[in-house]
Amino acid sequence: MNAMKKIITVDDNLTNLTVLKNILKPVYETYPVSSAAKMFDLLEKVTPDLILLDVEMPDISGYDAIRLLKSNPAHRDIPVIFVSALSGEKEELTGLELGAVDYIYKPFVASVLLRHIETHLKLAEAKRELLELNGDIQRKLSTKIMEVFELQNSILDIVASMVESRDGTTGGHIYRIQKYLMCLIESMVEQDIYTDEVTGWDLDFLIPSSQLHDVGKIAISDIILNKPGKLTPEEYEVMKTHVPLGADAISRMQGNVKGSSFLNYALVFAEAHHERWDGLGYPYGLSGENIPLIGRIMAIADVYDALVSTRPYKEPLSPEKAAMIILDGDGTQFDPNIIKVFKSVSDKFAEIAALYQEF
């Protein structure tokens, strides 16, 4: 059996309170009080399903009482019906604007009052059920989105690791790149460098998408990828094609997944990370701020990790030597503004390189 709904009735006239109690008690659990102050005391102990509130009362009027109710998160969702001898469009409109769900004039007809109360209790119950249903849907949706997001990242991690392992690198490179990027981006915000653009990025998508920056290497011959010595000019031209090949692969994915922020970021990483500030990079020969900011940041992270890592054609350099080479590229290979940031976090880069040699 369902518990009886609780209704607080507030009126400074004892006769009115008695009438309301007699009307309500066969159907509802009723709490009559003679002032708004007593109502607030009662609310510390009882949470009603509805309040019937008089307007004209000493000390605290009904209008002031509802203002206080609506300002308190614990009480603001309790439906309030004004029951008042004050009749007229202005009074009714004031009550409704203050948040009442209804305004009933005295003297009232008992059956009409009960029907109004029943209607608003049903509406309040429906609202609660809708909010609970919406909350449940949101929780389930959030869980499902997180599952898909984790699956996506897991697949990407495997694919990217397979690509990188073909030229003698490991998953550690993938993980370190993400750490370098986050380090640079956080420091750029702290130093107010390109802040407007950076704060518009969704890092939950941007950082993982960096795993695809070299996806085009999957189409490059092992003979070139794993050559122990310096590439010939012809071999280097072939190696450079990994950029358009990777960009083309991501573009084809975009055709199947419309409006993906993840793939939009991935495409920029793939296309722009070999461009140079002085315009001597590839594949487009872009220069300065014509190079997307994402690519300019990745350029530093990618080159630094290549310098401190073992490759088929080289031994790793020390973090100090790698940092010097990056700094020497100030204004030629790299964006001077980002070089300034790198200089302030080069010690953190060295820590990342040491901590995540393999992952």
Side-chain angles (χ1 to χ4, degrees):
M1 183 176 178
N2 293 331
M4 294 177 72
K5 298 289 187 182
K6 300 180 180 67
I7 296 179
I8 293 177
T9 59
V10 189
D11 198 308
D12 63 319
N13 185 297
L14 183 58
T15 300
N16 290 337
L17 281 180
T18 303
V19 170
L20 286 170
K21 181 177 181 180
N22 291 334
I23 293 172
L24 299 174
K25 68 179 180 181
V27 187
Y28 303 108
E29 189 176 331
T30 308
Y31 298 84
V33 292
S34 59
S35 69
K38 291 180 179 179
M39 176 191 71
F40 286 112
D41 289 340
L42 181 60
L43 285 171
E44 297 297 320
K45 305 170 187 176
V46 176
T47 301
D49 297 286
L50 186 139
I51 295 173
L52 296 179
L53 184 60
D54 189 19
V55 174
E56 291 187 297
M57 294 185 293
D59 298 327
I60 303 174
S61 72
Y63 292 155
D64 290 335
I66 196 172
R67 289 188 182 97
L68 293 171
L69 282 168
K70 296 302 179 183
S71 67
N72 187 332
H75 304 145
R76 63 186 174 200
D77 292 328
I78 301 171
V80 175
I81 296 177
F82 279 116
V83 183
S84 175
L86 286 177
S87 61
E89 181 179 339
K90 179 180 178 182
E91 287 74 15
E92 183 175 351
L93 184 60
T94 298
L96 296 175
E97 287 178 341
L98 289 172
V101 297
D102 209 340
Y103 194 106
I104 297 174
Y105 303 130
K106 299 175 185 176
F108 49 78
V109 177
S111 59
V112 174
L113 175 65
L114 287 171
R115 181 56 61 87
H116 278 255
I117 291 172
E118 180 185 5
T119 297
H120 288 295
L121 286 173
K122 286 181 178 179
L123 286 172
E125 184 65 26
K127 180 181 178 182
R128 277 193 295 271
E129 290 177 356
L130 185 60
L131 288 172
E132 289 174 3
L133 178 61
N134 183 61
D136 187 51
I137 291 172
Q138 289 297 325
R139 283 189 294 273
K140 289 180 179 178
L141 182 60
S142 296
T143 300
K144 184 60 66 177
I145 289 172
M146 184 56 65
E147 289 175 357
V148 172
F149 187 71
E150 290 175 352
L151 177 62
Q152 166 193 276
N153 283 343
S154 177
I155 293 171
L156 281 171
D157 183 58
I158 293 170
V159 171
S161 295
M162 290 174 62
V163 171
E164 296 298 336
S165 67
R166 293 189 62 238
D167 67 347
T169 61
T170 68
H173 169 68
I174 301 296
Y175 195 73
R176 289 191 300 272
I177 286 292
Q178 294 180 72
K179 289 288 186 179
Y180 297 143
L181 290 174
M182 185 58 77
C183 180
L184 283 173
I185 290 169
E186 288 176 348
S187 297
M188 288 168 67
V189 172
E190 290 172 3
Q191 298 178 42
D192 196 22
I193 292 176
Y194 300 125
T195 306
D196 289 345
E197 185 169 354
V198 170
T199 53
W201 293 341
D202 187 337
L203 297 184
D204 288 336
F205 290 111
L206 184 142
I207 297 299
S209 75
S210 66
Q211 296 176 87
L212 294 180
H213 70 284
D214 271 339
V215 69
K217 285 183 178 179
I218 204 165
I220 303 300
S221 165
D222 286 342
I223 295 173
I224 294 176
L225 282 175
N226 295 308
K227 183 176 180 178
K230 184 178 180 180
L231 297 179
T232 66
E234 292 77 17
E235 290 169 335
Y236 184 57
E237 289 303 314
V238 173
M239 175 64 84
K240 286 162 62 175
T241 63
H242 81 275
V243 173
L245 288 169
D248 180 65
I250 295 169
S251 294
R252 280 186 277 120
M253 284 188 274
Q254 285 181 311
N256 297 322
V257 184
K258 302 297 183 184
S260 168
S261 295
F262 180 91
L263 292 176
N264 292 341
Y265 291 134
L267 180 61
V268 179
F269 275 127
E271 282 190 309
H273 72 286
H274 283 297
E275 299 289 355
R276 289 172 52 111
W277 185 257
D278 59 11
L280 299 180
Y282 65 90
Y284 305 119
L286 301 177
S287 63
E289 294 190 4
N290 290 320
I291 305 168
L293 181 56
I294 290 173
R296 295 178 346 241
I297 297 172
M298 172 60 91
I300 290 178
D302 195 41
V303 171
Y304 179 89
D305 199 64
L307 292 171
V308 298
S309 301
T310 300
R311 292 289 187 270
Y313 53 87
K314 63 174 278 295
E315 291 298 316
L317 299 179
S318 69
E320 294 77 16
K321 180 63 175 175
M324 288 177 59
I325 292 173
I326 295 293
L327 294 174
D328 283 345
D330 184 356
T332 53
Q333 188 168 0
F334 306 116
D335 181 338
N337 291 313
I338 305 176
I339 285 292
K340 176 185 173 184
V341 177
F342 171 79
K343 188 174 182 179
S344 70
V345 297
S346 60
D347 289 345
K348 292 182 180 179
F349 267 52
E351 291 174 7
I352 292 168
L355 283 172
Y356 303 104
Q357 292 182 19
E358 302 292 337
F359 192 81

